[in-house]
């Protein structure tokens, strides 16, 4: 076990042409007024300085490592260098910089696994850009899981959760086409997703007996089989198994009535069957302040709930609410778990 108490948050660069650099700068600039938790930016300090100049910000940038990042944070933005091999132009993605993007993630994970940083917070990446450079993972979540498996030698299932002030939502299937969902939606996958979610809500979010509400796959949760057999054949038996094991689970519930105010008051997390079933209500209810949290990892990882927004990069109009929320939640979860990683 490694104690990460007191270590900074490891903030990745994301795509250097996107808004990640803009947001990292503005969250640091507002560190006093908005109580930004100390972070170590892992990326190219030269590119970061150029973006600050483009935005008209005066920012002291200091190259350092985890040991001094917290003490530096009040006076300078601490940066652990990961250099971009190609020039960076705000808003213009370049796959030549993919090694720096993934290198920043690799470094952040290693720092947390080594007990030097307290959590990983990731700035947005552009998957299409990484694919051009040979990136073979559907997204951030799957790549982080692969890094964790390599570090621990143990297979794991990463679970994506969108956490906002009004809703926590988990998609069982994530980055796959909608037409492939029914075939991928197995009882084992639903069960494992639910047990991992319940465990992390207990150990990291401090909920003694989290309440899980499982959405149906089909309209009206299948309407007794008239609108699809999956709800009664696959989802309902999982709910019964979870309840038999002491997990407070209900469902399958019609998804169209799960997300109004009174319904949300009855559960702690909505377990949804596919990506948009979870992310549409999550973003509708908390677009600016929802946070992407990866459950089931041997470390804490959060991320803002938006993309690279290349069209906004370098223009000074991107909002940093979600990144600030991601940093604060990562710090809170790290404190909840006393900074210990198994």
């Amino acid at each position: 076990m490694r104690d990460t108490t007191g270590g900074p948050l490891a903030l990745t660069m994301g795509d250097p042409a996107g808004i990640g650099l803009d947001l990292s700068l503005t969250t640091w600039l507002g560190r006093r007024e908005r109580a930004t938790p100390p972070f170590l930016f892992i990326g190219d300090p030269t590119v970061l300085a150029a973006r600050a100049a483009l935005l008209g910000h005066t920012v002291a940038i200091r190259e350092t490592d985890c040991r001094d990042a917290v003490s530096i944070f009040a006076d300078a933005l601490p940066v652990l260098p990961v250099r971009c091999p190609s020039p960076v132009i705000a808003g213009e993605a370049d796959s030549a910089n993919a090694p720096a993007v993934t290198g920043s993630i690799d470094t952040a994970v290693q720092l947390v696994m080594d007990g030097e940083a307290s959590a990983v917070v990731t700035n947005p990446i552009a998957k299409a850009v990484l694919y051009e450079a040979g990136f073979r993972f559907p997204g951030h979540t799957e790549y982080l899981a692969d890094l964790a498996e390599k570090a621990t030698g143990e297979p794991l299932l990463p679970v994506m959760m969108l956490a906002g002030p009004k809703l926590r939502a988990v998609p069982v299937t994530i980055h796959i086409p909608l037409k492939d969902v029914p075939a991928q939606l197995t009882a084992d996958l639903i069960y494992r997703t639910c047990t991992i979610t319940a465990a992390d809500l207990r150990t990291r979010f401090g909920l003694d007996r989290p309440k899980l509400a499982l959405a149906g796959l089909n309209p009206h949760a299948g309407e007794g089989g008239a609108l699809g057999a999956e709800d009664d054949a696959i989802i309902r038996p999982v709910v019964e198994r979870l309840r038999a094991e002491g997990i407070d689970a209900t469902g399958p519930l019609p998804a169209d009535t799960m997300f109004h105010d009174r319904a949300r008051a009855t559960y702690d997390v909505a377990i949804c069957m596919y990506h948009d079933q979870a992310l549409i209500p999550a973003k509708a209810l908390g677009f600016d302040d929802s946070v992407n949290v990866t459950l089931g990892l041997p470390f804490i990882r959060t991320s803002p709930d938006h993309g690279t927004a290349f069209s906004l990069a370098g223009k000074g109009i991107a909002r940093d609410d979600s990144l600030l929320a991601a940093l604060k939640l990562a710090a809170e979860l790290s404190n909840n778990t006393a900074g210990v990683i198994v």
Side-chain angles (χ1 to χ4, degrees), residues 87-300:
V88 175
I89 300 174
E92 297 185 17
D94 185 353
S95 61
N97 285 318
V101 175
T102 55
S104 174
I105 301 168
D106 297 347
T107 301
V109 169
Q110 190 63 54
L111 290 173
V112 176
M113 294 300 295
D114 288 345
E116 297 183 46
S118 59
V120 174
V121 181
T122 57
N123 266 309
I125 59 174
K127 289 175 286 187
V129 177
L130 295 181
Y131 294 156
E132 292 179 15
F135 189 74
R136 60 180 181 86
F137 298 90
H140 241 141
T141 301
E142 296 85 356
Y143 185 58
L144 288 163
D146 184 71
L147 292 176
E149 288 185 5
K150 289 176 179 175
T152 64
E154 298 178 4
L156 53 84
L157 175 68
V159 173
M160 175 181 176
M161 181 171 76
L162 273 292
K166 297 181 179 179
L167 175 68
R168 298 185 189 98
V170 168
V172 175
T173 60
I174 308 178
H175 299 117
I176 62 173
L178 186 59
K179 66 180 178 61
D180 296 337
V181 169
Q184 296 289 325
L185 198 64
T186 65
D188 180 65
L189 179 60
I190 299 170
Y191 173 78
R192 292 175 65 202
T193 299
C194 289
T195 54
I196 290 168
T197 300
D200 273 21
L201 287 178
R202 286 193 301 270
T203 60
R204 290 181 173 169
F205 286 79
L207 300 177
D208 290 336
R209 193 166 188 260
K211 298 178 181 179
L212 281 60
L214 279 72
L217 172 66
N218 297 296
H220 304 170
E223 206 162 272
L227 298 178
E230 293 89 353
D231 299 281
D232 286 336
I234 301 173
I235 303 173
R236 193 176 305 280
V238 172
V239 173
E240 293 171 355
R241 179 182 178 186
L242 292 168
R243 293 181 66 84
E245 295 178 4
I247 294 176
D248 190 341
T250 57
L253 303 173
D256 62 350
T257 57
M258 277 185 60
F259 300 106
H260 60 80
D261 292 347
R262 293 192 307 277
R264 296 197 315 277
T266 65
Y267 59 81
D268 295 307
V269 61
I271 306 294
C272 303
M273 297 302 116
Y274 54 92
H275 183 277
D276 285 9
Q277 191 181 57
L279 271 67
I280 288 174
K283 292 189 176 185
L285 291 166
F287 186 80
D288 290 320
D289 46 15
S290 287
V291 176
N292 184 347
V293 186
T294 305
L295 310 178
L297 296 176
F299 53 84
I300 294 163

